[in-house]
Amino acid sequence: MVKIGDIELPDFPLLLAPMEDVSDPPFRALCKEQGADVVYTEFVSSEGLIRNAAKSVMKLDIYEKERPVGIQIFGANMESMLQTIDIVEKSNPDIIDINFGCPVKKVVSKGAGAGILKDICLMEQLTAEMVKRTNLPVTVKTRLGWDHDSIKIVEVAERLQDVGCKAISIHGRTRAQMYKGEADWKPIAEVKNNPRMHIPVFGNGDVDTPEKAMLMRDSYGLDGAMIGRASIGNPWFFKQVKHFFETGEHLPPISLAERVEAARRHLQMAIDWKGEVLGVFETRRHYTNYFKGIPHFKEYRMKMVTSDDSKDVFAAFDEVLDKFSDYQFQ
Ligand SMILES: Cc1cc2nc3c(=O)[nH]c(=O)nc-3n(C[C@H](O)[C@H](O)[C@H](O)COP(=O)(O)O)c2cc1C
């Protein structure tokens, strides 16, 4: 069994990665239903939360049914991060995750996200103080290092563990790599093989088939896999991996009916969450992913992404179901 603080998880849990504009409550709920063992919010700015910026505050909304859920925060200023903990706690998440891995320039230039990999002492201090500030388990998501010449992830992970971090998820790339090349899981395995490590070490980066998840478990010996892009448009990925682990076989492709049902539920949950206008608007970006691969789909996609009225979008889903009933997904 794998434990994050007192949270008990099955062997080799699958975690939904925090993803900006993707890991919203409806998407997280869908992934949870399909087997994700832990889900994370997208990153939330500590400075935004302190200013009470509406957009940041909304990112703290969580559903009961998605637990255990982690809220991920980012920032580099100690006082702001500590105040953020107090704000985040009011949403009653199960986990608070610190983003020490975002490679984007506007985050890194302020010393936050992966920027902190240039100052391991601050990374350690921030984590230590945040752990002291809350009774919730604090976890960290980070990268291998700033660049190829400064990979110290074994030492970093140990230091974070020693100040009370309860689990670490490591994306097998450096900041300099951004998303280029292949994720390297070897340094993550070194972290896991450090005899002093006792907190869960989760691997992240390029797990896009059940076979790769199995490799991460069996050949790299990691405690679980954090899955990002493979779940976009495919919340069923978690179920697909688990089925493969249990049977050694692949599930049949997800049918059009299941895809339409997921899109419908996603839209309905979004409307229930933020109201008709925002719900319709913000769910648009997900449709392409659910229906990826269908040829000559543009006309239908346009109906889904241009209407402001949910009735039209639901009608477009019905039309797709009717029109493409013979289409076989891979
Ligand atoms: C659209 C998108 C948004 C992301 N947003 C975040 C984020 O808010 N916080 C974070 O820690 N990582 C973020 N990431 C990185 C992912 O969590 C993950 O580390 C990365 O995609 C590699 O995993 P994968 O190969 O399974 O996708 C994002 C990635 C994508 C593709």
Side-chain angles (χ1 to χ4, degrees):
M1 188 203 290
V2 173
K3 282 178 89 176
I4 301 179
D6 291 333
I7 303 169
E8 296 182 355
L9 301 170
D11 275 341
F12 203 76
L14 304 177
L15 294 75
L16 171 67
M19 284 185 286
E20 187 177 20
D21 289 340
V22 178
S23 310
D24 57 7
F27 184 68
R28 297 196 306 261
L30 290 172
C31 290
K32 171 83 190 180
E33 284 169 19
Q34 299 300 334
D37 295 298
V38 182
V39 298
Y40 285 93
T41 66
E42 64 179 288
F43 67 170
V44 190
S45 157
S46 59
E47 304 299 336
L49 281 178
I50 287 167
R51 281 199 320 273
N52 200 21
K55 217 174 156 212
S56 298
V57 173
M58 196 158 198
K59 292 177 185 170
L60 300 183
D61 289 348
I62 53 185
Y63 290 118
E64 277 308 303
K65 62 185 170 194
E66 51 177 315
R67 291 186 186 282
V69 53
I71 292 182
Q72 190 191 60
I73 55 177
F74 74 98
N77 178 280
M78 178 74 78
E79 198 39 48
S80 307
M81 288 294 264
L82 292 177
Q83 279 185 47
T84 300
I85 292 261
D86 303 341
I87 299 169
V88 165
E89 274 191 333
K90 293 192 187 115
S91 292
N92 197 20
D94 302 287
I95 297 165
I96 295 180
D97 187 69
I98 320 175
N99 178 320
F100 288 146
C102 177
V104 176
K105 207 168 178 182
K106 69 172 195 276
V107 172
V108 166
S109 62
K110 298 199 178 91
I116 205 126
L117 286 163
K118 284 179 153 178
D119 187 348
I120 305 299
C121 285
L122 179 60
M123 187 180 190
E124 184 182 13
Q125 278 165 15
L126 266 175
T127 308
E129 293 308 315
M130 290 171 75
V131 167
K132 283 185 210 153
R133 187 79 162 215
T134 178
N135 290 324
L136 292 171
V138 172
T139 61
V140 162
K141 175 164 182 278
T142 189
R143 290 186 170 230
L144 298 181
W146 176 257
D147 59 18
H148 186 262
D149 300 325
S150 61
I151 296 180
K152 298 191 197 110
I153 191 65
V154 174
E155 177 200 330
V156 167
E158 195 177 312
R159 283 169 70 172
L160 296 178
Q161 169 184 273
D162 289 350
V163 296
C165 172
K166 292 288 188 290
I168 184 163
S169 302
I170 304 168
H171 179 180
R173 289 185 175 85
T174 61
R175 190 274 166 175
Q177 280 177 290
M178 303 295 281
Y179 285 91
K180 290 193 290 280
E182 264 180 35
D184 183 1
W185 301 341
K186 283 194 292 301
I188 314 177
E190 283 170 32
V191 172
K192 175 65 196 165
N193 290 334
N194 173 359
R196 284 210 64 245
M197 284 306 278
H198 54 80
I199 60 170
V201 178
F202 300 125
N204 171 242
D206 300 351
V207 178
D208 54 7
T209 60
E211 285 84 350
K212 284 199 199 166
M214 190 173 256
L215 197 67
M216 191 174 253
R217 184 186 71 174
D218 297 345
S219 301
Y220 289 79
L222 303 184
D223 291 308
M226 178 177 267
I227 288 149
R229 288 165 294 179
S231 68
I232 299 181
N234 186 17
W236 304 276
F237 187 69
F238 301 95
K239 175 170 88 171
Q240 290 165 338
V241 171
K242 288 189 169 177
H243 182 83
F244 186 73
F245 280 3
E246 279 160 25
T247 65
E249 288 176 10
H250 287 272
L251 277 172
I254 306 301
S255 67
L256 180 67
E258 284 173 282
R259 287 165 191 274
V260 168
E261 184 55 17
R264 272 182 184 290
R265 299 211 31 248
H266 198 141
L267 175 57
Q268 191 56 58
M269 284 193 274
I271 293 170
D272 295 344
W273 173 41
K274 1 183 174 186
E276 170 89 9
V277 175
L278 268 181
V280 168
F281 182 73
E282 293 196 358
T283 313
R284 286 177 181 167
R285 57 176 164 255
H286 291 274
Y287 302 138
T288 310
N289 300 317
Y290 288 130
F291 301 113
K292 208 184 302 176
I294 300 181
H296 313 298
F297 192 70
K298 194 170 170 200
E299 178 193 335
Y300 301 90
R301 197 181 70 83
M302 289 311 285
K303 284 187 189 172
M304 291 173 193
V305 302
T306 51
S307 175
D308 293 330
D309 188 334
S310 63
K311 281 197 213 72
D312 298 337
V313 185
F314 284 122
F317 293 154
D318 288 340
E319 236 182 306
V320 166
L321 201 50
D322 189 43
K323 170 90 184 167
F324 297 102
S325 57
D326 293 337
Y327 182 71
Q328 291 294 319
F329 284 89
Q330 297 300 308

